[in-house]
Amino acid sequence: NAGVMQNPRHLVRRRGQEARLRCSPMKGHSHVYWYRQLPEEGLKFMVYLQKENIIDESGMPKERFSAEFPKEGPSILRIQQVVRGDSAAYFCASSPEDEKLFFGSGTQLSVL
Amino acid sequence: KNQVEQSPQSLIILEGKNCTLQCNYTVSPFSNLRWYKQDTGRGPVSLTIMTFSENTKSNGRYTATLDADTKQSSLHITASQLSDSASYICVVSSQTGANNLFFGTGTRLTVIP
């Protein structure tokens, strides 16, 4: 049973480009969470999704950021028109019903 | 304001020694407290989860304590190994659901031979 898979591990974008981060949850997990970690800061919740539904997006900026978890395929976190302040590590976690979280290895986004 | 404060920020110990990491929180309401280990360049891995009624929980050489009255927790590592070098993150949940987690900034532990 593979763990939570995130790709790419590292992503470099120029200002104004789009960034797409992918997360495949563990088999059997229907809950996906995205977190952002800035240097020297704790992880911050962004969005919580179940299949085809956004349950809680209260931690996600209203503009430029979107997330989806389609019926088939990985969850996608999309950042449009990236700015330098978007540079961070983005972690995805999945869970079964019991709240225990399993994290992926993260995507390090660098905006030039 | 819901906050999770950890101390020390960083710690260096000799292999084989014990150490204790501290976590103070102001999160309310309280659902559970978790300790995670995060290796460099990796995602956090769960060590323990404690609810309000639990005041100690062990996972191998890791023992977590919780005092819900004083809103303090500690993580004790016994007989440290080089592989224990990592960041240890305290996470407090304000209510059920992993979208209600407050993360500390972690204690960076380095174990040297």
Side-chain angles (χ1 to χ4, degrees):
Chain A
N1 185 8
V4 178
M5 304 299 293
Q6 288 189 250
N7 67 83
R9 287 297 309 275
H10 302 276
L11 182 61
V12 179
R13 285 287 177 266
R14 296 191 181 280
R15 281 178 296 170
Q17 292 184 317
E18 178 180 286
R20 278 181 175 243
L21 289 61
R22 293 175 185 77
C23 169
S24 295
M26 287 181 71
K27 188 176 181 181
H29 289 192
S30 59
H31 303 250
V32 167
Y33 306 83
W34 285 93
Y35 296 88
R36 177 164 62 177
Q37 186 175 33
L38 295 169
E40 307 303 321
E41 293 188 15
L43 277 76
K44 296 284 196 304
F45 167 76
M46 297 182 73
V47 62
Y48 163 35
L49 310 104
Q50 294 181 19
K51 282 288 187 182
E52 300 185 278
N53 284 305
I54 296 175
I55 307 302
D56 181 353
E57 56 183 347
S58 59
M60 198 158 65
K62 295 283 185 279
E63 297 179 355
R64 301 188 299 108
F65 286 73
S66 63
E68 62 177 12
F69 188 16
K71 189 176 181 181
E72 301 290 338
S75 175
I76 306 286
L77 178 67
R78 187 209 288 188
I79 312 173
Q80 295 177 296
Q81 299 172 338
V82 295
V83 301
R84 289 226 172 98
D86 296 332
S87 296
Y90 291 83
F91 288 95
C92 168
S94 72
S95 74
E97 299 288 338
D98 65 358
E99 284 195 45
K100 188 173 182 180
L101 285 180
F102 296 83
F103 283 85
S105 295
T107 293
Q108 181 64 52
L109 173 65
S110 299
V111 179
L112 305 179
Chain B
K1 184 180 178 183
N2 291 316
Q3 284 187 311
V4 178
E5 306 270 351
Q6 291 187 244
S7 63
Q9 197 169 22
S10 61
L11 183 62
I12 300 174
I13 61 172
L14 289 173
E15 186 179 10
K17 297 295 185 185
N18 304 334
C19 67
T20 300
L21 315 180
Q22 302 291 344
C23 174
N24 297 336
Y25 61 93
T26 58
V27 177
S28 182
F30 174 86
S31 176
N32 59 65
L33 186 145
R34 314 167 186 219
W35 282 93
Y36 284 88
K37 178 186 179 186
Q38 184 175 21
D39 292 310
T40 302
R42 311 293 290 183
V45 175
S46 178
L47 295 175
T48 62
I49 301 176
M50 289 185 291
T51 59
F52 185 88
S53 60
E54 297 173 295
N55 56 24
T56 186
K57 189 167 251 189
S58 291
N59 177 1
R61 293 180 297 103
Y62 301 102
T63 299
T65 66
L66 172 64
D67 186 334
D69 291 330
T70 62
K71 298 189 177 182
Q72 296 179 325
S73 176
S74 66
L75 180 69
H76 186 74
I77 305 174
T78 305
S80 61
Q81 300 175 358
L82 297 179
S83 59
D84 292 333
S85 296
S87 285
Y88 291 85
I89 304 171
C90 176
V91 184
V92 181
S93 177
S94 64
Q95 49 189 296
T96 55
N99 50 326
N100 296 298
L101 300 181
F102 295 88
F103 288 75
T105 54
T107 291
R108 176 72 207 170
L109 174 66
T110 303
V111 181
I112 58 175

